Amino acid sequence: MRILIVTPAAPGSRHGNRATALRWARHLRALGHETRVALEWDGRDCELLIALHARRSHAAMHAWKAAHPRRPLVLVLTGTDLYRDIRSDADARASLRLADRMVVLQPKGLEELSAAQRAKTSVIFQSVRAVRRQTPPRSYFLVSVIGHLREEKDPFRAALALARLPQAAIRVVQLGQAMSPEMGRQARALMRAEPRYRWLGELDHAGAMRWLARSHVMVISSRMEGGAHVVSEAIATGVPVIASAIPGNIGLLGERYQGYYPFADEAALAAQLARAQADPAWLAALETALKARSHEIDPLAERAAIARLITDLTRSSEARSN
């Protein structure tokens, strides 16, 4: 098939939507499909449109369906779709109606949809190629925080938690682009106030993975996530995760995972970090829990799930034509 993937994330950006679009394109090409990635539908002929982001890709979805009402349309739902936009934005809700099939990136995303919407939705986990775990520092406990600095990520919670661990040999290294001048100012102010905190800005993917691979733990402190790719990367690398107890994180790590803390509660986060540093058996239990989920983020599993989705769409399209 000729397939177009539409994502609002620009070429060269390291936003999760762009990474998802490019990874899906690689899988689709490996399955034999001619696949392009673009910011919007440009009117060029194709047989299937895959859109990421219900609100921001709505115009492309609407134009595509107006021109090709019988051709299939897939919508991949992001965290801001599931946990904000579809509750209040008319374009996002209209995109749910336009889509022939939808995809969520972790199973708890289904809970945000109606029964009718769930019936046309698949769960496809984001895949990661394993990175070799490196030996963590011996003289201090290294915590990595990886993701762009924006409000939805609650990005400074780990840095703030250090104030509740005044004697601990813990260092927090934060990677990611400041998405506003204010976020950059806050990061620099925190570095001046807390010498155990460093903000390194945006690194390339290989550089970020080197920091992750040598961390004792990774913290993901987000307010909302559709299914954070960096959590899958931590699973693949075997780095324990301390996570805000939000649906997007629970959907990836499991209901029984022990490394959660209540969102925005730095006292509880500090307690989890202190336990991770002081209790090797507990830290090992987190690693074991991650290994039990590693099959979900295998690249071949993601490719097989995408192949099933395309097969189902093809059959449904042929049935409509007949």
Side-chain angles (χ1 to χ4, degrees):
M1 297 179 72
R2 296 186 307 280
I3 299 173
L4 175 65
I5 301 176
V6 170
T7 173
S13 75
R14 295 193 175 94
H15 291 281
N17 288 341
R18 189 77 190 179
T20 299
L22 294 176
R23 195 180 61 259
W24 273 52
R26 289 194 296 272
H27 286 314
L28 288 164
R29 289 170 189 143
L31 292 167
H33 303 290
E34 180 184 325
T35 307
R36 294 188 299 119
V37 177
L39 295 176
E40 51 191 85
W41 180 49
D42 58 7
R44 289 167 61 181
D45 191 42
C46 55
E47 297 161 283
L48 167 63
L49 181 74
I50 300 173
L52 279 71
H53 207 295
R55 177 176 60 83
R56 297 179 65 189
S57 294
H58 173 72
M61 295 175 65
H62 179 77
W64 163 262
K65 271 300 186 183
H68 303 294
R70 291 185 174 275
R71 294 186 187 180
L73 170 60
V74 174
L75 172 62
V76 181
L77 291 162
T78 68
T80 51
D81 287 333
L82 287 168
Y83 302 110
R84 187 185 65 198
D85 291 346
I86 64 173
R87 301 173 183 178
S88 59
D89 186 84
D91 284 348
R93 290 198 298 270
S95 292
L96 300 183
R97 295 190 294 270
L98 286 170
D100 298 293
R101 290 291 300 272
M102 298 193 295
V103 172
V104 294
L105 304 177
Q106 43 80 21
K108 289 192 76 66
L110 295 170
E111 297 175 5
E112 303 302 311
L113 304 174
S114 69
Q117 292 163 350
R118 287 195 297 273
K120 63 177 183 178
T121 303
S122 303
V123 178
I124 300 181
F125 291 96
Q126 301 192 85
S127 67
V128 176
R129 295 189 183 280
V131 176
R132 185 183 297 276
R133 183 81 185 274
Q134 303 298 315
T135 303
R138 290 187 172 87
S139 59
Y140 62 92
F141 192 81
L142 177 59
V143 178
S144 60
V145 182
I146 303 173
H148 293 310
L149 278 58
R150 55 193 180 99
E151 188 272 337
E152 291 88 351
K153 301 289 185 182
D154 191 27
F156 304 120
R157 199 58 54 188
L160 295 171
L162 288 172
R164 298 176 181 270
L165 300 164
Q167 306 303 318
I170 295 178
R171 297 185 187 178
V172 173
V173 171
Q174 183 144 30
L175 313 176
Q177 179 185 0
M179 302 306 289
S180 68
E182 177 57 27
M183 285 290 177
R185 285 192 291 270
Q186 287 186 53
R188 289 186 287 272
L190 280 167
M191 283 195 289
R192 291 192 295 269
E194 174 53 79
R196 295 173 295 169
Y197 168 69
R198 293 173 64 198
W199 171 49
L200 301 183
E202 184 176 26
L203 304 186
D204 62 20
H205 185 258
M209 290 303 97
R210 283 194 291 271
W211 276 105
L212 175 63
R214 67 188 296 262
S215 298
H216 290 88
V217 300
M218 185 195 79
V219 168
I220 181 161
S221 50
S222 305
R223 175 189 305 275
M224 61 180 74
E225 290 285 356
H229 196 242
V230 73
V231 173
S232 298
E233 288 170 329
I235 293 171
T237 311
V239 175
V241 178
I242 307 297
S244 53
I246 61 169
N249 290 336
I250 295 170
L252 290 179
L253 296 167
E255 298 278 358
R256 297 184 180 181
Y257 187 72
Q258 298 180 47
Y260 298 120
Y261 72 95
F263 169 73
D265 185 342
E266 67 250 31
L269 174 54
Q272 291 287 62
L273 292 175
R275 185 177 183 185
Q277 183 186 28
D279 189 344
W282 186 70
L283 198 61
L286 296 185
E287 290 185 29
T288 299
L290 294 187
K291 288 178 183 176
R293 306 192 76 87
S294 61
H295 66 282
E296 294 175 341
I297 50 99
D298 182 272
L300 293 179
E302 184 180 37
R303 185 171 298 173
I306 293 171
R308 287 193 296 272
L309 175 67
I310 300 300
T311 298
D312 289 347
L313 278 168
T314 302
R315 289 172 179 167
S316 298
S317 180
E318 289 173 352
R320 286 197 301 269
S321 298
N322 295 333

